[in-house]
Amino acid sequence: MAFYLPLLQSRFKHIEVGDTLTSLWSGCGSIVECMLDDESCVVKAIKIPRYIHHSKIKQSEFALKRKQYSYSVEYNFYKRYSPFLPSTAKSIECISAINNVDEYALVFKNFTQHGFVQAGSQHVQAILKWLANFHAFNLNKPANRLWQQGNYWHLSTRPDEFNKLNEHDDKKSDIKSAAHKIDKILQTSHYKTLIHGDAKLANFAANEQSEILGYDFQYVGAGAGIIDVMYFMTSCFNDEQLHDSADEYLAYYFTHLKSALTIYQPAINADDVTAQWQKLWPLAWADFYRFLAGWSPEHLKINSYMLKQVNTSLAGNI
């Protein structure tokens, strides 16, 4: 019997298991279509193996605990945060979040039955607007039972990748020497919000009206909103597109951030939030580069636009 059936049986009377849509990262479970009490649902069934098989990640107790905690964070987000999100920044609807020790079953309404599909390149602006509203709504909110530093690549959670970096004689152009200072500046941003933490195109759904739903909140936690925007752009645009359009899309995000702040945070100076996060733009890129350079130095996301932002960060002596 599948491990998640007893979890479902604790909440639902009639269970029909359908197709397995996909397996989770490195054997951590699966996503399964189900009919639960006659409603079409999708279940994210999670059980962390004792050994993670991944070509680029060294198995360690540290790495295992990081992955285990990521699913605990996602569970807490859907139980404690997602029901209160505004209509302009909603997540997929979680009907039930079930946990027993190291096993989880997150039960979602099947968004494909409600007019939503996987988001595509035509939804870039709509997702940037979603991010702006998500960040504005959650500005200055505590990250209780979430990551105290959101995203999956920040320095304290990636010691193995950091140790793989080579040091350069010229400390002024050495990302390894600058890494801790970059991390500290990002962490101590005057304005912090909840960031999605894995805001790639693949983690959003859209309908014909370009309404957006976010999902896969394993790395949601405290941070500067600009970090999500940087990471989102790496998932949408190649090098040429970044050079041509990144500034335009960044301005679009900030326009909607200001608008959303006037709604959700009227006592906060929206211009100051924008100015502070704008300064962090090259640093967010440099921080992500530090992770990629230690994890997969030939990664396609390491391109000339990213390196330009890295050089801007280092040239400014951080």
Side-chain angles (χ1 to χ4, degrees):
M1 181 171 67
F3 74 87
Y4 56 85
L5 280 178
L7 297 176
L8 297 179
Q9 288 166 349
S10 70
R11 302 286 177 89
F12 300 96
K13 293 181 179 180
H14 304 290
I15 300 169
E16 296 179 29
V17 177
D19 294 334
T20 297
L21 300 178
T22 188
S23 296
L24 298 182
W25 181 88
S26 293
C28 291
S30 55
I31 296 178
V32 184
E33 287 185 317
C34 293
M35 290 294 293
L36 302 176
D37 292 344
D38 299 322
E39 181 166 10
S40 177
C41 299
V42 173
V43 177
K44 186 172 185 177
I46 303 152
K47 185 173 184 177
I48 313 297
R50 283 302 305 164
Y51 192 90
I52 296 174
H53 296 277
H54 196 285
S55 59
K56 291 188 174 70
I57 295 178
K58 178 183 176 182
Q59 171 66 38
S60 66
E61 195 65 24
F62 183 88
L64 190 65
K65 286 181 178 179
R66 179 178 65 222
K67 180 54 62 175
Q68 288 171 334
Y69 189 65
S70 77
Y71 288 114
S72 172
V73 163
E74 185 172 38
Y75 168 81
N76 285 318
F77 176 81
Y78 283 116
K79 278 188 72 73
R80 300 171 181 275
Y81 291 85
S82 69
F84 306 104
L85 291 173
S87 60
T88 51
K90 294 192 74 66
S91 69
I92 58 175
E93 186 172 351
C94 186
I95 298 171
S96 188
I98 312 165
N99 168 234
N100 181 30
V101 191
D102 62 345
E103 298 177 350
Y104 299 87
L106 302 177
V107 182
F108 303 104
K109 281 190 175 181
N110 188 341
F111 63 69
T112 64
Q113 302 295 313
H114 299 274
F116 285 84
V117 296
Q118 171 67 56
S121 58
Q122 70 272 32
H123 300 114
V124 167
Q125 287 189 329
I127 294 171
L128 287 170
K129 186 176 179 180
W130 185 99
L131 287 171
N133 279 272
F134 185 82
H135 296 152
F137 179 78
N138 289 302
L139 195 72
N140 293 338
K141 289 188 178 176
N144 295 329
R145 301 195 184 186
L146 307 178
W147 292 99
Q148 294 308 296
Q149 188 175 358
N151 85 48
Y152 65 81
W153 62 86
H154 61 81
L155 190 57
S156 64
T157 199
R158 292 293 179 174
D160 296 334
E161 292 79 4
F162 177 76
N163 291 330
K164 290 179 182 177
L165 291 171
N166 295 320
E167 292 188 21
H168 298 280
D169 292 335
D170 182 3
K171 299 300 181 186
K172 292 182 179 179
S173 61
D174 181 17
I175 191 66
K176 190 168 188 177
S177 296
H180 286 90
K181 192 170 184 181
I182 292 171
D183 180 67
K184 184 177 180 180
I185 293 171
L186 291 171
Q187 279 198 63
T188 56
S189 170
H190 182 63
Y191 297 105
K192 294 177 81 171
T193 183
L194 295 184
I195 62 172
H196 182 289
D198 192 12
K200 58 189 176 186
L201 187 61
N203 284 342
F204 294 94
N207 64 13
E208 290 185 353
Q209 290 74 44
S210 290
E211 295 173 322
I212 301 298
L213 301 175
Y215 53 94
D216 278 6
F217 287 89
Q218 288 174 239
Y219 296 97
V220 62
I226 199 68
I227 295 169
D228 270 344
V229 181
M230 175 280 300
Y231 185 71
F232 176 65
M233 288 199 192
T234 71
S235 76
C236 304
F237 303 134
N238 61 29
D239 192 27
E240 181 180 358
Q241 291 169 324
L242 285 166
H243 282 290
D244 289 345
S245 304
D247 287 348
E248 176 186 344
Y249 283 113
L250 188 59
Y252 182 87
Y253 164 79
F254 279 128
T255 295
H256 285 283
L257 179 70
K258 288 181 182 180
S259 178
L261 285 169
T262 62
I263 298 170
Y264 302 121
Q265 312 287 349
I268 292 177
N269 186 326
D271 288 330
D272 194 39
V273 177
T274 296
Q276 294 297 322
W277 284 0
Q278 179 81 58
K279 291 177 183 177
L280 299 179
W281 181 244
L283 295 172
W285 284 90
D287 189 57
F288 189 48
Y289 168 74
R290 178 264 314 150
F291 162 68
L292 288 179
W295 180 62
S296 181
E298 304 303 320
H299 202 288
L300 290 175
K301 289 186 178 182
I302 300 177
N303 55 37
S304 67
Y305 182 87
M306 176 180 281
L307 294 175
K308 178 183 176 182
Q309 302 305 318
V310 174
N311 290 337
T312 297
S313 296
L314 296 177
N317 295 316
I318 319 302

